[in-house]
């Protein structure tokens, strides 16, 4: 019995909680990833975002050139940065229409304000967060969700959605351009005036 207990003690490895060998520390944490990446993404979008009126003009004149100048391809569709000031219209489920002066007739702008933020624009806009850096598709998708949650905490916490309609807001963000006349913008900065 003493030999058996001694053999078990010699063969036992003690792993401290939170230590290097703690498997929970090695597992992918999308919220930690989002908190680390969002400030860099926010700075990237803010530095690259054209005014909405200028972007709309460029898209109308030469869509391919506008995408090459401002966008990042993410699969079949480009992700475009943009900045604008406009008047908030009707909203539903945290998505509000925004009237932006100077946009061509028929171009609609909407902004996501949460609480749920959908899409992977923030993950994809820089072009350097690639699928190959993750273990699988679920981890890659969770990375986008983690970035969206980090953005919500940094930009949208405390936003009074009930009082937005009719207010003027300034937004910098990104949208996936499926239709060049219908933009659903995920903000990296939102200021209510």
């Amino acid at each position: 019995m003493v030999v058996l207990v001694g053999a078990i003690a010699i063969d036992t490895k003690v792993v401290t909680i939170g230590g290097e060998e703690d498997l929970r520390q090695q597992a992918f944490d999308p919220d930690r990833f989002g908190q680390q990446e969002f400030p860099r993404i926010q700075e990237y979008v803010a530095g690259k975002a054209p005014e909405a009126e200028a972007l709309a003009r460029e898209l109308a004149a030469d869509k391919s050139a506008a995408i090459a100048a401002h966008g990042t391809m993410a699969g079949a569709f480009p992700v475009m940065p943009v900045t604008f000031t406009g008047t908030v219209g009707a909203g539903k489920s945290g998505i509000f229409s925004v009237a932006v002066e100077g946009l061509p007739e028929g171009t609609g702008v909407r902004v996501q304000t949460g609480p749920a933020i959908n899409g992977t624009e923030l993950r994809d806009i820089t072009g350097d967060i690639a699928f190959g850096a993750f273990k699988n598709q679920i981890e890659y998708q969770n990375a986008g969700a983690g970035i969206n949650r980090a953005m919500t905490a940094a930009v949208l916490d405390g936003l009074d959605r009930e009082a937005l309609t009719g207010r003027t807001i300034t937004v910098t963000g990104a949208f996936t351009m499926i239709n060049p006349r219908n933009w659903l913008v995920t903000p990296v900065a939102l200021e209510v005036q």
Side-chain angles (χ1 to χ4, degrees):
M1 187 64 121
V2 171
V3 173
L4 180 62
V5 170
I8 290 173
I10 290 172
D11 195 41
T12 300
K13 183 178 198 174
V14 176
V15 176
T16 57
I17 294 173
E20 255 183 55
E21 294 177 344
D22 185 348
L23 289 179
R24 293 174 301 177
Q25 297 295 76
Q26 297 171 14
F28 177 69
D29 181 345
D31 290 317
R32 184 172 54 229
F33 179 82
Q35 290 164 1
Q36 290 169 349
E37 291 295 316
F38 177 68
R40 180 181 71 87
I41 293 165
Q42 184 179 42
E43 185 177 320
Y44 176 89
V45 173
K48 194 165 163 107
E51 290 287 337
E53 184 178 356
L55 180 59
R57 273 197 317 270
E58 289 179 46
L59 287 169
D62 186 343
K63 187 166 87 170
S64 296
I67 291 169
H70 305 291
T72 303
M73 289 307 294
F77 302 103
V79 180
M80 306 294 288
V82 67
T83 188
F84 57 86
T85 297
T87 304
V88 179
K92 182 176 181 184
S93 301
I95 297 175
F96 290 86
S97 62
V98 182
V100 180
E101 282 189 35
L103 291 183
E105 178 105 16
T107 299
V109 176
R110 296 173 297 147
V111 65
Q112 296 194 78
T113 65
I117 301 293
N118 297 312
T120 57
E121 291 82 10
L122 301 185
R123 181 195 70 194
D124 298 338
I125 187 68
T126 61
D128 61 6
I129 300 174
F131 175 72
F134 299 89
K135 185 168 48 175
N136 54 38
Q137 180 64 38
I138 293 169
E139 205 172 86
Y140 187 49
Q141 190 68 29
N142 287 343
I147 293 167
N148 287 351
R149 285 191 294 273
M151 179 280 295
T152 299
V155 176
L156 301 175
D157 267 5
L159 180 67
D160 185 359
R161 291 169 190 84
E162 302 298 317
L164 270 183
T165 302
R167 303 286 299 272
T168 299
I169 61 172
T170 299
V171 176
T172 300
F175 66 96
T176 300
M177 194 180 69
I178 298 168
N179 177 345
R181 297 174 72 80
N182 186 8
W183 308 350
L184 176 58
V185 178
T186 302
V188 297
L190 189 151
E191 180 186 335
V192 180
Q193 297 170 1

